[in-house]
Amino acid sequence: MPSGFFVTEAKLYNISNNFPQAVCEMYACGKYLQKKVVRGALTNGREWIFIFMKFNDNYDGASYQRSNIVKFDTVSNSDGQLVIPGSWPDILAAILSHWIQNSFADLKSDDWFEVVQRTG
């Protein structure tokens, strides 16, 4: 069975500029696969936007939610090596693993996804 998980690479430095294209690609993929729910991510390797898309019953439209940009910065340690501070790689791996395993299920409270209302 094909996965309902979609990852696309940001072609521009500012990944927000690639967001509309990623949503369109995700929509086309979900419609082709006839999946009601598709989880996905847009990334340039250092920044990630997680996307959850839910299709209408007849696939003539969809709604989506997105995360804020999750950014993984690197710093130089005392030896001059670049390292990622904290547990961000582990968190990213956990999000991706959980979303792939649950790629066709509805969004639940343990999906590592927080919807934040934006004002203004």
Side-chain angles (χ1 to χ4, degrees):
M1 172 165 46
S3 174
F5 186 77
F6 183 86
V7 177
T8 188
E9 177 188 5
K11 307 290 191 260
L12 302 172
Y13 179 73
N14 181 346
I15 67 169
S16 293
N17 292 342
N18 290 105
F19 186 74
Q21 179 181 345
V23 168
C24 290
E25 290 174 0
M26 214 171 143
Y27 177 81
C29 179
K31 188 172 182 174
Y32 175 77
L33 294 173
Q34 295 288 291
K35 301 298 174 194
K36 291 290 183 187
V37 174
V38 179
R39 288 170 172 77
L42 168 66
T43 183
N44 62 10
R46 295 181 89 178
E47 297 173 320
W48 292 74
I49 297 175
F50 296 95
I51 309 161
F52 177 81
M53 184 172 287
K54 198 170 198 174
F55 284 82
N56 298 347
D57 288 337
N58 58 1
Y59 294 95
D60 68 346
S63 60
Y64 69 86
Q65 296 171 323
R66 62 167 276 180
S67 71
N68 291 325
I69 295 174
V70 179
K71 189 172 184 178
F72 302 98
D73 287 323
T74 57
V75 295
S76 295
N77 65 12
S78 59
D79 297 330
Q81 297 175 326
L82 291 177
V83 295
I84 299 172
S87 58
W88 284 114
D90 296 333
I91 292 170
L92 176 61
I95 293 169
L96 295 174
S97 174
H98 181 81
W99 276 35
I100 290 168
Q101 289 175 358
N102 296 282
S103 60
F104 297 122
D106 236 347
L107 188 63
K108 298 177 186 162
S109 63
D110 64 348
D111 265 311
W112 294 81
F113 189 94
E114 183 177 328
V115 177
V116 178
Q117 294 293 335
R118 295 181 186 190
T119 60

Coordinates of all heavy atoms in Angstrom, one line a residue, residues 66-104:
R66 N -0.4 23.6 9.0 CA 1.1 23.6 8.9 C 1.7 23.9 10.3 O 1.1 24.7 11.1 CB 1.6 24.5 7.8 CG 1.2 25.9 8.1 CD 2.0 26.9 7.2 NE 3.3 27.1 7.8 CZ 4.2 27.9 7.2 NH1 3.9 28.5 6.1 NH2 5.4 28.1 7.8
S67 N 2.9 23.4 10.5 CA 3.6 23.8 11.7 C 4.3 25.1 11.4 O 4.5 25.6 10.3 CB 4.6 22.7 12.0 OG 5.7 22.7 11.1
N68 N 4.8 25.7 12.4 CA 5.8 26.8 12.3 C 7.1 26.2 11.7 O 7.2 25.0 11.7 CB 6.1 27.5 13.6 CG 4.9 28.3 14.1 OD1 4.1 28.8 13.3 ND2 4.7 28.3 15.4
I69 N 8.0 27.0 11.3 CA 9.3 26.5 10.8 C 10.1 26.0 12.0 O 10.2 26.7 13.0 CB 10.1 27.6 10.1 CG1 9.3 28.0 8.8 CG2 11.5 27.1 9.7 CD1 10.0 29.2 8.1
V70 N 10.5 24.7 11.9 CA 11.4 24.1 12.9 C 12.8 24.2 12.3 O 13.1 23.7 11.2 CB 11.0 22.6 13.1 CG1 11.9 22.0 14.1 CG2 9.6 22.6 13.6
K71 N 13.7 24.9 13.0 CA 15.0 25.2 12.4 C 16.1 24.4 13.3 O 16.0 24.5 14.5 CB 15.3 26.7 12.4 CG 16.5 27.0 11.7 CD 16.7 28.6 11.6 CE 17.9 28.9 10.8 NZ 18.0 30.4 10.6
F72 N 17.0 23.8 12.6 CA 18.1 23.0 13.2 C 19.4 23.7 12.9 O 19.9 23.6 11.9 CB 18.1 21.6 12.7 CG 16.8 20.9 13.0 CD1 15.9 20.7 12.0 CD2 16.5 20.3 14.2 CE1 14.7 20.1 12.2 CE2 15.4 19.7 14.5 CZ 14.4 19.5 13.5
D73 N 19.8 24.5 13.9 CA 21.1 25.3 13.7 C 22.2 24.4 14.1 O 22.1 23.5 14.9 CB 21.1 26.5 14.5 CG 20.1 27.6 14.0 OD1 20.0 27.7 12.7 OD2 19.5 28.3 14.8
T74 N 23.4 24.7 13.6 CA 24.6 24.1 14.0 C 25.5 25.1 14.6 O 25.4 26.3 14.4 CB 25.4 23.5 12.7 OG1 25.6 24.5 11.8 CG2 24.6 22.4 12.1
V75 N 26.4 24.6 15.5 CA 27.3 25.5 16.2 C 28.7 24.8 16.2 O 28.7 23.5 16.0 CB 27.0 25.8 17.7 CG1 25.7 26.6 17.7 CG2 26.8 24.5 18.5
S76 N 29.7 25.5 16.3 CA 31.1 24.9 16.3 C 31.4 24.5 17.8 O 31.2 25.4 18.7 CB 32.1 25.8 15.8 OG 31.9 26.1 14.4
N77 N 31.9 23.3 18.0 CA 32.3 23.0 19.4 C 33.8 23.4 19.6 O 34.3 24.0 18.7 CB 32.1 21.5 19.6 CG 33.0 20.6 18.8 OD1 33.9 21.0 18.1 ND2 32.7 19.3 18.8
S78 N 34.3 23.0 20.7 CA 35.7 23.5 21.0 C 36.7 23.0 20.0 O 37.8 23.5 19.9 CB 36.0 23.1 22.4 OG 36.0 21.7 22.6
D79 N 36.4 21.9 19.3 CA 37.4 21.3 18.3 C 37.1 21.8 17.0 O 37.8 21.4 16.0 CB 37.2 19.8 18.3 CG 37.6 19.1 19.6 OD1 38.5 19.6 20.3 OD2 37.0 18.0 19.9
G80 N 36.2 22.8 16.8 CA 35.9 23.3 15.5 C 34.9 22.5 14.7 O 34.6 22.9 13.5
Q81 N 34.4 21.4 15.2 CA 33.4 20.6 14.5 C 32.0 21.2 14.6 O 31.7 21.7 15.7 CB 33.4 19.2 15.0 CG 34.8 18.5 14.8 CD 34.7 17.1 15.5 OE1 34.1 16.9 16.5 NE2 35.4 16.1 14.9
L82 N 31.3 21.1 13.5 CA 29.9 21.5 13.6 C 29.0 20.5 14.3 O 29.1 19.3 14.0 CB 29.4 21.8 12.2 CG 30.0 22.9 11.4 CD1 29.4 23.0 10.0 CD2 29.7 24.2 12.2
V83 N 28.2 20.9 15.2 CA 27.3 20.0 15.9 C 25.9 20.7 16.0 O 25.8 21.9 15.9 CB 27.8 19.7 17.3 CG1 29.1 18.9 17.3 CG2 28.0 20.9 18.2
I84 N 24.9 19.8 16.1 CA 23.6 20.3 16.4 C 23.3 20.2 17.9 O 23.3 19.2 18.4 CB 22.5 19.5 15.6 CG1 22.8 19.5 14.1 CG2 21.1 19.9 15.9 CD1 22.0 18.6 13.3
P85 N 23.1 21.4 18.5 CA 22.9 21.4 19.9 C 21.5 20.8 20.3 O 20.6 20.9 19.6 CB 23.0 22.8 20.3 CG 22.7 23.6 19.1 CD 23.1 22.7 17.9
G86 N 21.5 20.1 21.4 CA 20.2 19.6 21.9 C 19.9 18.3 21.3 O 20.7 17.6 20.6
S87 N 18.6 18.0 21.4 CA 18.1 16.7 20.9 C 17.3 16.9 19.6 O 16.4 16.0 19.3 CB 17.2 16.1 22.0 OG 16.2 16.9 22.3
W88 N 17.5 17.9 18.8 CA 16.7 18.2 17.6 C 16.7 17.0 16.6 O 15.7 16.6 16.1 CB 17.0 19.5 16.9 CG 16.5 20.6 17.7 CD1 17.2 21.6 18.3 CD2 15.1 21.0 17.9 NE1 16.3 22.5 18.9 CE2 15.0 22.1 18.6 CE3 13.9 20.4 17.4 CZ2 13.8 22.7 19.0 CZ3 12.7 21.0 17.8 CH2 12.7 22.1 18.6
P89 N 17.9 16.4 16.4 CA 17.8 15.2 15.4 C 16.9 14.1 15.9 O 16.2 13.5 15.1 CB 19.3 14.8 15.3 CG 20.1 16.1 15.7 CD 19.2 16.8 16.7
D90 N 17.0 13.9 17.2 CA 16.1 12.8 17.8 C 14.6 13.2 17.7 O 13.8 12.3 17.4 CB 16.5 12.6 19.2 CG 17.9 12.0 19.4 OD1 18.4 11.4 18.5 OD2 18.5 12.3 20.5
I91 N 14.3 14.4 17.9 CA 12.9 14.9 17.8 C 12.5 14.8 16.4 O 11.4 14.3 16.1 CB 12.8 16.3 18.3 CG1 13.0 16.3 19.8 CG2 11.4 16.9 18.0 CD1 13.1 17.7 20.4
L92 N 13.3 15.2 15.4 CA 12.9 15.1 14.0 C 12.7 13.6 13.6 O 11.7 13.3 13.0 CB 14.0 15.7 13.1 CG 13.8 15.6 11.6 CD1 12.5 16.3 11.2 CD2 15.0 16.1 10.9
A93 N 13.6 12.7 14.0 CA 13.4 11.3 13.7 C 12.1 10.8 14.3 O 11.5 10.0 13.7 CB 14.6 10.5 14.2
A94 N 11.8 11.2 15.5 CA 10.6 10.7 16.2 C 9.3 11.2 15.4 O 8.4 10.4 15.2 CB 10.5 11.2 17.6
I95 N 9.3 12.5 15.0 CA 8.2 13.0 14.2 C 8.0 12.2 12.9 O 6.9 11.7 12.6 CB 8.4 14.5 14.0 CG1 8.3 15.3 15.2 CG2 7.3 15.0 13.0 CD1 8.8 16.8 15.1
L96 N 9.1 12.1 12.2 CA 9.0 11.4 10.9 C 8.6 9.9 11.1 O 7.8 9.4 10.3 CB 10.4 11.5 10.2 CG 10.8 12.9 9.8 CD1 12.2 12.9 9.2 CD2 9.8 13.5 8.8
S97 N 9.2 9.2 12.0 CA 8.8 7.8 12.3 C 7.3 7.7 12.6 O 6.6 6.8 12.1 CB 9.7 7.3 13.4 OG 9.3 6.0 13.8
H98 N 6.9 8.5 13.5 CA 5.5 8.4 13.9 C 4.5 8.8 12.8 O 3.5 8.1 12.6 CB 5.2 9.4 15.1 CG 3.8 9.3 15.6 ND1 3.4 8.4 16.5 CD2 2.7 10.1 15.3 CE1 2.1 8.6 16.7 NE2 1.7 9.6 16.1
W99 N 4.9 9.8 12.0 CA 4.0 10.2 10.9 C 4.0 9.2 9.8 O 2.9 8.9 9.2 CB 4.4 11.6 10.4 CG 3.8 12.7 11.2 CD1 3.5 12.7 12.5 CD2 3.3 13.9 10.7 NE1 3.0 13.9 12.9 CE2 2.8 14.7 11.8 CE3 3.3 14.5 9.4 CZ2 2.3 15.9 11.6 CZ3 2.8 15.8 9.3 CH2 2.3 16.5 10.4
I100 N 5.1 8.5 9.6 CA 5.1 7.5 8.5 C 4.3 6.3 9.0 O 3.5 5.7 8.2 CB 6.6 7.1 8.2 CG1 7.3 8.2 7.4 CG2 6.6 5.8 7.4 CD1 8.8 8.1 7.3
Q101 N 4.4 5.9 10.2 CA 3.7 4.7 10.8 C 2.2 5.0 10.8 O 1.4 4.1 10.6 CB 4.1 4.4 12.2 CG 5.5 3.8 12.3 CD 5.9 3.6 13.7 OE1 5.2 4.0 14.7 NE2 7.1 3.0 13.9
N102 N 1.8 6.3 10.9 CA 0.4 6.6 11.0 C -0.1 7.5 9.8 O -1.0 8.3 9.9 CB 0.1 7.4 12.3 CG 0.4 6.6 13.5 OD1 -0.4 5.8 13.9 ND2 1.5 6.8 14.1
S103 N 0.6 7.2 8.7 CA 0.4 8.1 7.5 C -1.0 8.2 7.0 O -1.4 9.2 6.3 CB 1.3 7.7 6.4 OG 1.1 6.4 6.0
F104 N -1.9 7.3 7.3 CA -3.3 7.3 6.8 C -4.3 7.6 7.9 O -5.5 7.8 7.6 CB -3.7 6.0 6.1 CG -2.8 5.8 4.9 CD1 -2.1 4.6 4.8 CD2 -2.7 6.7 3.8 CE1 -1.3 4.3 3.7 CE2 -1.9 6.4 2.7 CZ -1.2 5.3 2.6

